[in-house]
Amino acid sequence: QVRLVESGGGLVQTGGSLRLSCAASGRTFSIYSMGWFRQAPGKEREFVAAISRSGGSTDYADSVKGRFTISRDNAKNTGYLQMNSLKPEDTAVYYCAARYSDYDSTYRRDYRSWGQGTQVTVSS
């Protein structure tokens, strides 16, 4: 399985931006599609964004459309989540996940490899 490590989380004010990174190792990153999920305290882990193996297809949760952008650089074995216009309700632990498939998925159950998460806190 591929190993994933997230970074880039932190504390930001409402309206600010952060870029999360997901570094992959152990297996060739380019054979996996990738997703980002988040979990706020007391809530279920929810889908945020996903990208296909080639990067040609993306999906977003309605709550982040137009504000977040998912991307990947297969040469660097790294995925990214650019988050703009952040809101307090975006506060959560963000996880990246990998799926051995050409196609991305919005379903948590489709991902077998997960990172340890990175905290994002948006202050009002």
Side-chain angles (χ1 to χ4, degrees), residues 36-38 45-51 58-70 81 87 90 94 104-106:
W36 285 95
F37 292 76
R38 66 186 182 187
R45 192 172 299 188
E46 65 175 6
F47 169 75
V48 175
I51 188 166
T58 57
D59 283 295
Y60 295 92
D62 288 343
S63 59
V64 306
K65 275 181 185 175
R67 300 188 299 123
F68 291 11
T69 302
I70 189 171
L81 184 68
K87 305 175 181 180
D90 294 318
Y94 282 71
D104 61 280
S105 172
T106 63

Side-chain angles (χ1 to χ4, degrees), residues 30 32-33 50-58 70-72 74 102:
S30 61
Y32 294 88
S33 61
I51 188 166
S52 63
R53 189 177 76 169
S54 68
S57 174
T58 57
I70 189 171
S71 63
R72 63 190 297 159
N74 287 340
D102 290 348

Side-chain angles (χ1 to χ4, degrees), residues 82-100:
Q82 177 67 43
M83 306 186 296
N84 298 329
S85 302
L86 282 161
K87 305 175 181 180
E89 51 263 44
D90 294 318
T91 295
V93 177
Y94 282 71
Y95 299 88
C96 68
R99 177 180 186 227
Y100 184 50

Side-chain angles (χ1 to χ4, degrees), residues 10 15 24 27 44 47 56 58 75 77 80 88 103 108 111 123:
R27 294 287 299 272
E44 294 287 322
F47 169 75
T58 57
N77 291 332
Y80 304 97
Y103 305 104
R108 178 182 170 184
Y111 293 86
S123 63

